[in-house]
Amino acid sequence: MRAASVVARRALVSSRGVRAAAPRQLAPWRCLTQTTAPGAQEKRDILKASVPHVASLGWCDDALAAGARDLGLSAAAQGQVTNGAVDLVAFVAQEQCDQLREEVDDAAQELAALDDWRDRLKLAISKRLELSKPFHAHRAQAMGLMVTPLARDDGAVPPADPPPAFEVLHRLVDELARATVVSTEELDVPEWRLRRAAAGGAYPP
């Protein structure tokens, strides 16, 4: 198996053979991605409905309340989103990583036509920045929220999870570096690490 397949696609080996790994889930979303958790789907629905209100209201509880009302719920239902605006920012960040992954896959031929991997990285970064445009006016606020530790309500120790920025950046750098890899390349681990480092350094904070 080529190193590119192992490293770039993060393949999972099982008794059924090799399959491509699913996109990595962000740590803050344990309670929201588990559809069996009570109220998990309603929380996700509120977050999704709140996103269109961020442009006018910013990353705040008012945006969450507006999203809840759009669903026919009481504005107080936004209280189900435990970490408020922090959860909203993390939700959008994960959605944008998912969208970036799809856009990179759709642009496979365009990326393969570029001989230099640095040019592929520039193209991937431009696609990621394009996804952020609707929220650009509130970017500073989002960055502040992304470094806020997440409170836990399960009594576990430690009482707070790490800020979502750690997992978001890890996932984003992976997706940007993945865009630099084409199927005809032989890629070893040091080269993959180099491209990951370049992606982390080149993407504007």
Side-chain angles (χ1 to χ4, degrees):
M1 180 181 296
R2 291 182 177 180
S5 298
V6 176
V7 179
R9 295 185 177 85
R10 302 203 306 270
L12 298 178
V13 180
S14 68
S15 59
R16 296 182 181 179
V18 180
R19 60 185 176 86
R24 183 176 179 179
Q25 295 294 330
L26 304 189
W29 294 100
R30 289 192 305 270
C31 62
L32 297 179
T33 54
Q34 295 171 357
T35 55
T36 56
Q41 187 57 52
E42 187 168 90
K43 291 176 184 179
R44 289 188 63 84
D45 290 343
I46 292 173
L47 288 165
K48 187 173 183 178
S50 302
V51 174
H53 297 283
V54 171
S56 59
L57 299 175
W59 304 97
C60 60
D61 289 344
D62 287 344
L64 290 167
R69 286 194 295 269
D70 287 348
L71 297 174
L73 303 172
S74 164
Q78 59 92 13
Q80 295 185 54
V81 182
T82 310
N83 293 285
V86 179
D87 279 347
L88 182 55
V89 174
F91 174 79
V92 171
Q94 175 168 328
E95 290 285 293
Q96 290 183 340
C97 280
D98 291 340
Q99 291 170 15
L100 176 61
R101 189 179 185 90
E102 292 176 2
E103 291 200 10
V104 166
D105 288 342
D106 291 342
Q109 291 185 348
E110 183 181 4
L111 289 164
L114 299 172
D115 294 330
D116 193 327
W117 67 264
R118 296 171 187 82
D119 292 329
R120 296 177 213 140
L121 177 58
K122 290 177 184 177
L123 179 59
I125 289 175
S126 69
K127 290 181 179 296
R128 178 60 180 84
L129 292 175
E130 191 67 26
L131 292 172
S132 299
K133 272 189 177 180
F135 311 101
H136 186 74
H138 305 288
R139 191 158 179 258
Q141 183 187 14
M143 291 175 64
L145 291 167
M146 287 290 284
V147 296
T148 302
L150 297 171
R152 301 179 62 148
D153 55 6
D154 56 5
V157 176
D161 285 326
F166 292 109
E167 284 288 338
V168 168
L169 182 59
H170 190 287
R171 168 88 187 276
L172 174 59
V173 167
D174 272 353
E175 297 299 343
L176 291 174
R178 191 178 72 92
T180 71
V181 182
V182 294
S183 59
T184 56
E185 281 187 293
E186 292 288 351
L187 190 69
D188 57 18
V189 172
E191 178 67 18
W192 169 251
R193 290 174 176 168
L194 170 64
R195 297 190 188 187
R196 253 187 124 259
Y203 187 78

